[in-house]
């Protein structure tokens, strides 16, 4: 990986990028929601203004105000009036186009033809004919409207409609429809084209029939407000994201500073191989502090294990040196003076050396995590078999055995029993008792003697490797101090315990507890 990409592989960089992306997504979502809400609010406001303007004109029409007297002077709210045929009959003076279509010229209402005298007439000769033609057209239009009105009333009666028109869309005379149809269209007013919200309201007049009033409210304010808000967001959001990225970078660097200290100390420990050193623990109660404490606990356990391994190697070398030196001496003497060769002593040293090597090998396998087998072992039968192979014991062994089974390695459990009996043979005066029984879910194997016992202060120490009490060392130089350590390790590997306390008749009582086989 090249150097320029390494910063993005750090936790600090990933946290900064992640925080910035999350905040950016949140800001985009919030900004979109604000813009949509702002636009919706302003559009609703424009709809209300358009509806108000349309109903104002519709109210004037309902009261019989003529087209030329309508107040359509508000250029900000263009208005047009449509008759039943969809023809524009009135509109704002400056309204030029609506949704791209030109607004047609308004046809004025027909007026009574005034009496003309020759001296006041300034019109061309054919003006009388045109006025008459307009009057005829007005009469035709009025008759056509009356016919349509009668047709609607007949259709309503045939359909079973009520007189108030509640079952159809017809309106009473001078009535304004409660419903408003709202649309969004572009309109050109006085040469300027903008977007508008148009409200269409129907009104029924006695003289002009049913009309539709369309009034618009400009969306310029809404568009300006949305544009201003969007511009502010486009400028403010990047600045805010930059601030968030910088703050996240600094905060993450400060939070990860103890991790860098831990990493540096661990690198120094690895380089120096000094397991006595510890990583710094921050004065906090967060995950990093717990990581530091766990690391120190791991270092302490590792240091203890290494020191234990070193002591084991040193003690093993010391214990092996004695029988090897004795055996070498006897062989050298025998080589120089065959008549002085102590064959029995050489054999004894060889056996002692063999047993010590076997103990060291078993301890090495146990330390390596060797798991016991899953066979079923009956403790009473195992005890009888093991004791039958010990005919040369100094003191006979009394047994009290009940049938109880455990799961595990038969060879390792036989080694435990043999070590406990051997230890009892070294310290007993006249009696050794082996008991096997069941105690609830546990199988219990006890080996008791009537010797001097084990002082309470030494009852845990005797299970350490190469540990022999002073009286044991004086009475028996052959023990290496590994038997009880092996017995406890085997018990732990089988999910049990091995403890020592005082026997009922004095002396020591070793108790092995193992889970019964299911």
């Amino acid at each position: 990986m090249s150097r320029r990409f390494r910063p993005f592989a750090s936790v600090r960089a990933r946290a900064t990028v992640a925080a910035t992306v999350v905040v950016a997504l949140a800001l985009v979502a919030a900004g979109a929601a604000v813009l949509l809400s702002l636009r919706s609010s302003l559009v609703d406001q424009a709809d209300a203004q358009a509806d108000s303007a349309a109903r104002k004109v519709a109210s004037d029409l309902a009261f019989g105000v003529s087209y030329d007297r309508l107040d359509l002077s508000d250029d900000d709210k263009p208005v047009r009036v449509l008759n039943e045929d969809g023809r524009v009959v009135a509109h704002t003076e400056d309204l030029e186009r609506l949704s791209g279509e030109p607004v047609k010229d308004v046809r004025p209402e027909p007026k009574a033809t005034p009496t003309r005298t020759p001296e006041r007439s300034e019109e061309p000769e054919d003006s009388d004919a045109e006025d008459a033609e307009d009057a005829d057209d007005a009469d035709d239009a009025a008759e056509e409207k009356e016919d349509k009105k009668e047709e609607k009333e007949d259709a309503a009666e045939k359909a079973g409609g009520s007189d108030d028109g509640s079952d159809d869309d017809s309106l009473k005379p001078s009535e304004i429809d409660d419903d408003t149809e709202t649309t969004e269209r572009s309109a050109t007013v006085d040469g300027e084209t903008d977007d508008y919200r148009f409200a269409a309201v129907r009104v029924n007049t006695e003289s002009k029939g049913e009309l539709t009033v369309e009034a618009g409210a400009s969306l310029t304010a809404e568009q300006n407000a949305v544009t201003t808000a969007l511009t502010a967001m486009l400028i403010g959001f990047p600045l805010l994201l930059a601030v968030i990225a910088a703050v996240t970078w600094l905060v993450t660097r400060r939070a990860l500073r103890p991790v860098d200290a831990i990493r540096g100390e661990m690198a120094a420990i690895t380089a120096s191989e000094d397991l006595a050193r510890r990583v710094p623990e921050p004065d906090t109660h967060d995950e990093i502090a717990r990581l530091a404490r766990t690391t120190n606990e791991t270092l302490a356990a590792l240091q203890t294990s290494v020191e234990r391994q070193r002591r084991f190697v040193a003690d093993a070398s010391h214990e092996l040196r004695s029988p090897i030196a004795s055996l070498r001496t006897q062989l050298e003497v025998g080589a120089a003076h065959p008549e002085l060769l102590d064959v029995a002593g050489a054999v004894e040293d060889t056996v002692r050396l063999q047993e010590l090597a076997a103990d060291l090998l078993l301890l090495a396998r146990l330390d390596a995590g060797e798991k016991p087998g899953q066979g079923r072992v009956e403790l009473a039968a195992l005890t009888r078999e093991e004791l039958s192979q010990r005919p040369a014991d100094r003191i006979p062994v009394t047994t009290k055995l009940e049938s109880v089974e455990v799961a595990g390695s038969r060879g390792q459990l036989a080694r435990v029993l043999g070590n406990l009996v051997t230890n009892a043979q070294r310290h007993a005066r006249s009696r050794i008792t082996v008991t096997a029984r069941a105690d609830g879910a546990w199988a219990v194997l006890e080996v008791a003697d009537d010797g001097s016992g084990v002082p309470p202060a030494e009852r845990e120490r005797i299970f350490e490797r190469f540990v022999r009490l002073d009286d044991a060392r004086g009475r028996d130089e052959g023990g290496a101090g590994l038997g009880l350590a092996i017995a406890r390790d085997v018990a732990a590997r089988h999910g049990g315990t091995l403890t020592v306390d005082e026997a009922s008749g004095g002396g020591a009582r070793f108790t092995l507890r193992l889970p019964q086989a299911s």
Side-chain angles (χ1 to χ4, degrees), residues 163-184:
D163 295 339
D164 58 1
S166 59
D167 293 338
D168 53 33
D169 294 335
S170 61
L171 301 174
K172 294 180 180 181
S174 302
E175 182 184 2
I176 301 175
D177 193 359
D178 293 333
D179 296 331
T180 303
E181 181 180 354
T182 305
T183 57
E184 184 172 331

Side-chain angles (χ1 to χ4, degrees), residues 214-236:
E214 294 182 347
S218 175
L219 293 176
T220 303
E222 173 265 335
Q223 294 172 346
N224 291 338
V226 172
T227 302
T228 302
L230 181 60
T231 303
M233 291 179 184
L234 292 178
I235 296 175

Side-chain angles (χ1 to χ4, degrees), residues 22-93:
V22 170
V23 173
L25 294 176
L27 289 178
V28 169
V34 169
L35 291 177
L36 292 176
S37 176
L38 177 61
R39 186 182 186 282
S40 177
S41 176
L42 293 175
V43 167
D44 291 342
Q45 183 178 352
D47 289 343
Q49 294 175 356
D51 182 71
S52 176
R55 291 188 178 277
K56 179 181 178 183
V57 175
S59 178
D60 292 342
L61 291 172
F63 281 104
V65 177
S66 61
Y67 296 141
D68 57 350
R69 293 182 178 277
L70 292 175
D71 184 10
L72 306 177
S73 60
D74 192 351
D75 294 338
D76 186 50
K77 297 180 179 60
V79 179
R80 72 173 183 172
V81 182
L82 307 175
N83 62 9
E84 293 181 349
D85 298 330
R87 186 170 64 88
V88 179
V89 295
H91 66 80
T92 303
E93 180 179 359

Side-chain angles (χ1 to χ4, degrees), residues 314-329:
D315 292 338
S317 301
H318 176 75
E319 294 295 336
L320 288 172
R321 184 165 47 237
S322 297
I324 292 176
S326 176
L327 182 60
R328 178 181 178 181
T329 300

Side-chain angles (χ1 to χ4, degrees), residues 12-24:
R12 188 191 317 168
R14 291 199 299 270
T16 301
V17 171
T20 304
V21 170
V22 170
V23 173

Side-chain angles (χ1 to χ4, degrees), residues 421-437:
V421 174
T422 299
N423 180 76
Q425 289 286 345
R426 290 173 181 165
H427 300 283
R429 293 189 179 92
S430 60
R431 185 178 70 254
I432 298 175
T433 304
V434 177
T435 303
R437 58 185 174 84

Side-chain angles (χ1 to χ4, degrees), residues 370-493:
E370 178 180 331
K371 296 185 179 297
Q374 296 301 317
R376 299 174 72 91
V377 180
E378 209 280 314
L379 291 184
L382 176 67
T383 302
R384 295 189 187 97
E385 180 181 352
E386 179 66 20
L387 294 179
S388 66
Q389 297 176 3
R390 302 173 62 93
D393 282 342
R394 181 172 61 89
I395 300 173
V397 179
T398 303
T399 60
K400 298 179 181 179
L401 306 177
E402 297 179 5
S403 179
V404 58
E405 286 188 345
V406 297
S409 170
R410 185 179 185 84
Q412 291 184 8
L413 293 177
R415 188 64 174 276
V416 172
L417 177 60
N419 288 352
L420 294 179
V421 174
T422 299
N423 180 76
Q425 289 286 345
R426 290 173 181 165
H427 300 283
R429 293 189 179 92
S430 60
R431 185 178 70 254
I432 298 175
T433 304
V434 177
T435 303
R437 58 185 174 84
D439 183 11
W442 295 92
V444 180
L445 180 66
E446 295 179 348
V447 178
D449 61 68
D450 60 350
S452 58
V454 181
E458 303 289 343
R459 289 178 181 174
E460 285 298 318
R461 182 170 172 267
I462 62 174
F463 292 106
E464 296 180 6
R465 299 176 183 182
F466 298 105
V467 171
R468 292 176 295 183
L469 300 184
D470 293 339
D471 58 344
R473 185 179 297 273
R475 292 180 56 186
D476 185 4
E477 294 294 336
L482 293 177
L484 296 180
I486 291 174
R488 171 164 278 191
D489 283 352
V490 171
R493 292 292 187 274

